[in-house]
Amino acid sequence: MTDLDESLRDDVRMLGESLGQTIENHLGSAFLDKIERIRHLAKAGRLNARSNHEALLQELSGLSEDEVLPVARAFTQFLNLANIAEEFHRVRLHQDVCELDAEDSFAQQIKQLQDDGVDKAQILQAIGRMEVDLVLTAHPTEVNRRTLIKKYNAITDCLRKLELGEYRQRRLNELISQIWHTNEIRQQRPTPIDEAKWGFAVIEGSLWQAVPNYLRKLDESMQAVLEQSLPLDCSPVRFSSWMGGDRDGNPHVTAAITQEVLSLSRWMAADLYDRDLDELRSELSMYQCNAELRARVGDVAEPYRHLLAGLRRRLDQTKELIQQGLSGRPIDTRALLSVDELLEPLMLCHRSLIDNGMQIIAGGLLEDIIRRIACFGVTLVKLDIRQNADRHAAVFDALTRFYELGHYLEWDEADKQRFLLQELRSKRPLIPPQWAPDEEIREVLDTCRVIAQADPASLGSYVISMASQPSDVLSVILLLKEMGVAHDMRVVPLFETLADLQSAHHCIDQLLDIDWYRDYTQGHQEVMIGYSDSSKDAGQLAAVWGQYQTQEALTATCRARGVHLTLFHGRGGTVGRGGGPTHRAILAQPPGSVDHTLRVTEQGEVIRFKFGIPEIAERNLERYTGAVLAATLRPSPAPKPEWRAMMEQLAQTGFREYRSVVRDDPRFVPFFRASTPEHELGKLPLGSRPAKRRADGGVESLRAIPWVFAWTQIRLMLPAWLGSDSALGQAIASGQLTRLHEMYAAWPFFTSYVDMLEMVLSKSDPVIAEYYASRLVPEDLQPLGDSLRERLQGTFDMVLQIKQTKKLLADFPLIRRSINVRNPYIDPLHFLQAELLHRDRNAPNQRLEQALMVTMAGISAGMQNTG
């Protein structure tokens, strides 16, 4: 065991002991002894699951109703504290390795490219053109309350301090006591405004510090390897958001909400810069300046402070104007401080300091602020707008009926396109002033009106959910035009189901056939690939292959037209939602599909895990940059024809077998609802968006996040492997194991898929899943559960055969150790949750429900992902 491993164990032990002391102080030593007894029984149960789990179950069944909640809370908070210790351990691991020598550092990526024959000029050009846009989304997978997240971050700050004195320990004890006496579960669902503020808090608390540090490290790497600096106005990574803009299936996101979030984002940016400039003014006390600065400020003793004072007044004015707008008074957005107005005085200070030999001062906080402007602008994030295609079509159906032109929804695609293009080319308005449509249609129009009034720099893309035809895109462009949007906003079709993915390139091909549309795009087409719904629709194996083929086809289509393609990946945190290690996931994309640009969603708890701590955020930003650079300049080779044929065979089998269970077996939906906390999940106030698209729908109406969340809670993890088991099993049985070995060894796409399958299997547990079924599922549905667990067990063996290893995660010992350490603390929560589900379904009461929600939060913390 290394010193770093010992440090991790010490931190976990210290935090655990502090939590134990807090529990003892609050509930007494007898209760703490009970917690310890449960923990030891769970640990023993992992050594001999079937015999020792009986003792654990007996202990848990003896808990009184008053004891259930604090037991759930104790194990939940221990898992949260273990997560904190492990996250800080990752910081230590990174700090223990020289930045320039780390295997996947940006410097090493550049060196590897040079070793592969890519010249310096190509690398520099690629860095200058790179645009990686990380889109923060409010998908409801962050279980922890914001107030608790702040306390967890404060614990990280304590661990970060080198001194191990009495004060730090006292502060840790204080924070852990605060956490214990704070409800884990929100009393009400967050509003869209709450979600947006949570996103801003991540930027303020971590990314505001991480971004300039990350850019500084890129600069140092480029100077060390390429002998050229990163320009101050260059930021390969930027941020967008869906928080307050994603209205698909969320009736709480209205035009007024979007307007408010746009204003709040701009106010938050101005406030952060204001704080920065206050600190910068205190630092720039120098009297020497160049003639350019002297001509601007005149004969003053402190030229830099004088110039910055005027800039701060403009920021204060901007904040006041935004406040007026938020209080309902009209404002002229042109009076707000622009990027150029913010940047120009700072660049003047920078030039003056350099001219007077004060390079070291210029390279400090001043450069950090300039680099923040390159990344965040004056709007902090760019807000995407998302709406379902049906909502736009409904507007035109109402319009055509108003004009007595027929029913738009009944027209074929050719007629829709003809009508839309005619109106797009027309100089007269389409929407009459006397028109009084219903509320849903007014809301769509009001949203477009808000877009028209907003600063174009504050907006990202308009994403169309469930897009399938060119008319879906043209209709949005026409609505924007009718509401007065003067700039050519990016309008992005989101292809989600397997069928829509397979026909996506036809849709884009037809759009690019239209001269008017091609002119509108200005040579740049963005397309969003949906991971969640395609996986729920077709099974993971068929979905990932469909996504791969879609990207290949879209890349070829746009290249043939001379149009630059940006793929927007709608990934989640779990395998079932496209999740996985950033660097490997990007390098596994089809060759040519990552061409300098990439957009990807970052959602829920993944935002906190990737970007919640500045040091980890820096590392993840560097990984994105290095992976996109490598995928652009040294893409993975195209798969061999025989590999492609094998994947096609696997995908077809996987699709058929997945659908035969999820869609065709009449026992499946009742089994799913009985064995998982799917229904109870709707009571957990995670996000502002409803858990279902329709209150009366079946599994098909359930959103992909709660679909995955429910299976994760019982450790069956069905969305990630069902269908793959049959496909891989049949291939191995038919003598094709050697080909699978070859694909795993040499095709990054297949390697990534198998490794992700291995990771999710390592988190599954047939014994836990069996207990849920035995406690909750009616007798007539038990055979289905037996069959699914047997199939899960068989999938373990298939992955081991393909990887030619004897133990899951043999190549990833850190992940394996993390899972093994957590299992004894998650097991009591699983058994307790199953018991609580049984009780709540038979005799519900508020206390049981509260404990049940805490177990959901605890299992999520232990599994380190939800949906």
Side-chain angles (χ1 to χ4, degrees):
M1 180 177 291
T2 67
D3 290 341
L4 282 171
D5 290 335
E6 191 62 41
S7 296
L8 172 60
R9 291 186 61 176
D10 288 345
D11 285 344
V12 172
R13 187 183 304 114
M14 174 182 61
L15 295 173
E17 288 174 353
S18 179
L19 176 63
Q21 186 62 54
T22 298
I23 292 171
E24 185 176 20
N25 291 342
H26 185 226
L27 296 171
S29 57
F31 187 80
L32 179 61
D33 289 344
K34 184 169 291 194
I35 295 292
E36 283 297 295
R37 196 158 56 247
I38 291 170
R39 184 174 71 85
H40 286 299
L41 288 171
K43 198 170 185 180
R46 279 282 154 182
L47 301 176
N48 188 347
R50 292 198 177 274
S51 64
N52 287 303
H53 277 333
E54 291 303 319
L56 174 61
L57 288 169
Q58 187 174 356
E59 183 73 31
L60 291 172
S61 66
L63 294 175
S64 69
E65 196 166 285
D66 290 337
E67 292 175 320
V68 168
L69 179 58
V71 167
R73 296 187 70 234
F75 284 95
T76 292
Q77 290 308 337
F78 180 84
L79 288 163
N80 279 314
L81 294 174
N83 285 345
I84 294 168
E86 193 167 84
E87 286 169 6
F88 185 66
H89 183 60
R90 286 161 56 199
V91 173
R92 277 204 202 99
L93 284 172
H94 186 50
Q95 291 173 339
D96 202 48
V97 178
C98 174
E99 294 287 347
L100 298 180
D101 295 333
E103 184 179 349
D104 61 349
S105 71
F106 192 65
Q108 287 300 317
Q109 293 287 332
I110 297 173
K111 288 177 182 176
Q112 184 61 55
L113 287 169
Q114 290 180 316
D115 291 344
D116 291 343
V118 182
D119 64 44
K120 188 183 297 186
Q122 286 178 287
I123 297 173
L124 288 169
Q125 183 188 43
I127 295 171
R129 287 183 56 194
M130 190 183 303
E131 294 180 16
V132 180
D133 192 359
L134 306 181
V135 185
L136 310 179
T137 77
H139 285 335
T141 60
E142 174 55 84
V143 174
N144 288 296
R145 295 174 59 195
R146 189 164 46 154
T147 186
L148 285 175
I149 291 171
K150 288 180 178 178
K151 298 181 193 303
Y152 297 150
N153 289 341
I155 290 176
T156 302
D157 290 338
C158 281
L159 294 177
R160 189 183 281 112
K161 292 187 172 82
L162 294 177
E163 67 273 11
L164 302 177
E166 182 180 339
Y167 168 75
R168 188 186 79 150
Q169 187 62 57
R170 189 169 66 249
R171 177 60 177 155
L172 281 171
N173 293 341
E174 178 188 348
L175 287 165
I176 289 171
S177 183
Q178 289 176 13
I179 289 166
W180 178 255
H181 292 284
T182 301
N183 283 334
E184 292 90 344
I185 307 301
R186 303 178 184 97
Q187 298 305 301
Q188 295 179 324
R189 287 187 178 275
T191 67
I193 297 296
D194 293 332
E195 290 170 333
K197 288 179 178 178
W198 179 82
F200 301 156
V202 173
I203 294 175
E204 177 185 10
S206 176
L207 288 170
W208 199 253
Q209 175 185 335
V211 163
N213 291 345
Y214 143 76
L215 291 171
R216 188 183 299 278
K217 288 173 184 174
L218 288 196
D219 180 48
E220 291 168 355
S221 297
M222 289 174 63
Q223 290 187 50
V225 183
L226 300 174
E227 300 174 330
Q228 185 160 327
S229 296
L230 179 73
L232 285 175
D233 62 352
C234 178
S235 179
V237 176
R238 299 187 183 184
F239 295 91
S240 294
S241 175
W242 277 14
M243 302 179 191
D246 179 11
R247 60 235 315 117
D248 177 28
N250 190 344
H252 307 298
V253 179
T254 62
I257 290 292
T258 296
Q259 177 66 67
E260 185 173 352
V261 168
L262 285 167
S263 297
L264 287 170
S265 181
R266 190 127 189 197
W267 187 93
M268 189 71 194
D271 189 58
L272 288 170
Y273 287 126
D274 197 20
R275 288 183 243 168
D276 280 355
L277 291 181
D278 185 42
E279 184 179 352
L280 184 63
R281 281 191 74 236
S282 71
E283 292 192 2
L284 298 189
S285 56
M286 306 83 223
Y287 61 88
Q288 291 176 304
C289 68
N290 64 9
E292 184 185 13
L293 179 53
R294 183 62 66 191
R296 173 78 68 88
V297 300
D299 187 20
V300 296
E302 295 180 327
Y304 300 95
R305 287 181 170 178
H306 185 84
L307 185 67
L308 294 176
L311 186 55
R312 286 199 69 198
R313 283 194 295 272
R314 286 285 288 116
L315 280 169
D316 288 340
Q317 179 189 19
T318 290
K319 287 161 61 176
E320 288 172 11
L321 286 169
I322 294 170
Q323 289 283 18
Q324 288 179 24
L326 288 169
S327 63
R329 287 174 285 172
I331 63 167
D332 183 356
T333 56
R334 292 172 297 181
L336 302 178
L337 186 74
S338 69
V339 168
D340 290 341
E341 289 174 312
L342 177 61
L343 188 59
E344 189 274 335
L346 298 174
M347 293 303 296
L348 174 53
C349 289
H350 192 270
R351 289 193 298 273
S352 178
L353 291 169
I354 297 291
D355 289 348
N356 283 275
M358 292 181 276
Q359 288 88 344
I360 191 168
I361 298 173
L365 177 59
L366 176 59
E367 279 195 5
D368 284 352
I369 298 172
I370 292 170
R371 291 199 184 279
R372 284 179 181 129
I373 295 169
C375 177
F376 297 109
V378 292
T379 62
L380 206 62
V381 292
K382 290 180 181 290
L383 186 66
D384 277 6
I385 307 297
R386 184 168 80 129
Q387 182 58 280
N388 194 285
D390 290 347
R391 294 291 297 275
H392 311 125
V395 175
F396 288 104
D397 190 64
L399 266 173
T400 52
R401 285 188 284 112
F402 176 82
Y403 283 122
E404 299 181 353
L405 297 175
H407 293 259
Y408 178 88
L409 291 175
E410 297 175 1
W411 295 353
D412 63 22
E413 177 62 17
D415 286 339
K416 289 178 181 176
Q417 287 186 39
R418 192 177 304 110
F419 169 77
L420 294 169
L421 284 168
Q422 176 182 313
E423 294 301 328
L424 282 164
R425 293 179 176 123
S426 172
K427 294 182 179 179
R428 57 151 177 79
L430 170 64
I431 298 176
Q434 73 274 24
W435 191 39
D438 65 31
E439 186 177 343
E440 283 199 351
I441 289 173
R442 281 202 311 274
E443 181 57 44
V444 173
L445 298 177
D446 287 346
T447 297
C448 294
R449 197 171 282 114
V450 166
I451 294 171
Q453 294 165 355
D455 179 354
S458 67
L459 298 165
S461 300
Y462 193 119
V463 179
I464 311 166
S465 300
M466 288 299 176
S468 60
Q469 300 291 344
S471 61
D472 294 328
V473 177
L474 296 174
S475 62
V476 171
I477 300 175
L478 179 54
L479 287 173
L480 294 174
K481 170 178 172 280
E482 286 295 318
M483 291 297 104
V485 177
H487 72 288
D488 293 340
M489 187 177 188
R490 295 194 309 268
V491 176
V492 180
L494 164 53
F495 299 103
E496 300 180 79
T497 67
L498 184 61
D500 286 344
L501 284 168
Q502 290 170 339
S503 62
H505 67 287
H506 294 302
C507 176
I508 298 302
D509 194 45
Q510 291 176 53
L511 279 167
L512 295 176
D513 264 341
I514 301 169
D515 293 340
W516 185 95
Y517 178 79
R518 203 163 51 249
D519 290 341
Y520 179 89
T521 66
Q522 300 176 37
H524 179 203
Q525 176 66 54
E526 183 178 319
V527 177
M528 187 169 181
I529 304 295
Y531 286 74
S532 308
D533 286 291
S534 57
S535 179
K536 185 165 76 79
D537 173 53
Q540 179 68 7
L541 183 56
V544 296
W545 181 234
Q547 291 149 10
Y548 188 92
Q549 291 176 301
T550 296
Q551 292 175 67
E552 283 186 315
L554 287 169
T555 300
T557 295
C558 290
R559 182 176 292 140
R561 303 281 187 155
V563 171
H564 180 82
L565 172 68
T566 293
L567 286 168
F568 183 2
H569 298 267
R571 292 181 175 273
T574 58
V575 172
R577 302 193 62 243
T582 298
H583 190 268
R584 299 181 70 188
I586 293 172
L587 294 180
Q589 302 308 306
S593 64
V594 180
D595 182 10
H596 298 88
T597 60
L598 177 78
R599 297 191 88 209
V600 61
T601 53
E602 300 286 5
Q603 51 102 97
E605 83 282 359
V606 176
I607 296 174
R608 184 161 56 92
F609 290 151
K610 281 189 175 182
F611 306 116
I613 297 175
E615 296 91 339
I616 293 176
E618 291 168 34
R619 195 75 189 95
N620 280 306
L621 295 175
E622 185 180 6
R623 285 195 180 106
Y624 266 116
T625 310
V628 171
L629 183 67
T632 296
L633 297 178
R634 187 172 42 87
S636 59
K640 295 179 180 180
E642 55 267 32
W643 298 351
R644 188 181 292 277
M646 171 62 81
M647 266 313 298
E648 190 63 36
Q649 173 189 323
L650 292 172
Q652 289 180 8
T653 304
F655 175 79
R656 185 174 60 251
E657 292 292 328
Y658 175 86
R659 284 286 188 95
S660 72
V661 175
V662 174
R663 294 292 182 92
D664 300 337
D665 192 327
R667 301 171 299 172
F668 180 76
V669 171
F671 175 82
F672 167 61
R673 297 220 156 110
S675 63
T676 74
E678 177 264 338
H679 172 71
E680 291 77 11
L681 176 60
K683 303 174 186 177
L684 194 61
L686 292 182
S688 66
R689 196 169 67 174
K692 287 188 176 184
R693 289 185 170 91
R694 298 194 316 276
D696 60 344
V699 168
E700 75 286 347
S701 72
L702 194 70
R703 292 191 176 277
I705 293 168
W707 163 253
V708 176
F709 194 129
W711 291 112
T712 302
Q713 289 282 303
I714 70 167
R715 302 288 283 275
L716 194 59
M717 317 295 276
L718 179 140
W721 60 265
L722 184 62
S724 299
D725 61 313
S726 301
L728 296 173
Q730 290 181 28
I732 292 171
S734 62
Q736 299 182 82
L737 183 57
T738 301
R739 178 152 294 164
L740 294 175
H741 288 160
E742 178 188 343
M743 292 164 64
Y744 179 78
W747 188 12
F749 163 76
F750 192 70
T751 307
S752 178
Y753 168 71
V754 173
D755 286 347
M756 285 296 94
L757 181 57
E758 176 191 34
M759 187 273 288
V760 81
L761 289 175
S762 69
K763 290 188 174 186
S764 66
D765 191 316
V767 174
I768 296 290
E770 182 181 18
Y771 182 73
Y772 277 89
S774 68
R775 196 75 182 97
L776 301 169
V777 174
E779 189 67 31
D780 61 323
L781 300 178
Q782 292 286 350
L784 177 59
D786 296 339
S787 169
L788 291 173
R789 291 190 299 276
E790 183 180 346
R791 293 175 68 165
L792 168 61
Q793 196 69 54
T795 314
F796 293 135
D797 299 330
M798 295 168 206
V799 169
L800 294 176
Q801 287 183 66
I802 293 169
K803 294 198 66 167
Q804 302 181 76
T805 187
K806 295 183 178 179
K807 185 185 293 185
L808 289 176
L809 295 178
D811 301 334
F812 305 100
L814 290 177
I815 298 175
R816 188 177 74 234
R817 184 185 64 189
S818 175
I819 293 170
N820 290 340
V821 165
R822 281 172 171 76
N823 277 332
Y825 297 92
I826 309 175
D827 288 352
L829 291 171
H830 283 300
F831 293 126
L832 197 55
Q833 184 182 86
E835 178 62 28
L836 289 168
L837 284 168
H838 178 77
R839 293 188 195 180
D840 190 56
R841 290 173 182 178
N842 288 282
N845 68 55
Q846 191 171 1
R847 188 179 300 176
L848 288 177
E849 196 169 281
Q850 177 75 4
L852 179 57
M853 289 192 283
V854 171
T855 64
M856 292 182 191
I859 292 168
S860 298
M863 299 291 285
Q864 292 194 302
N865 54 262
T866 52

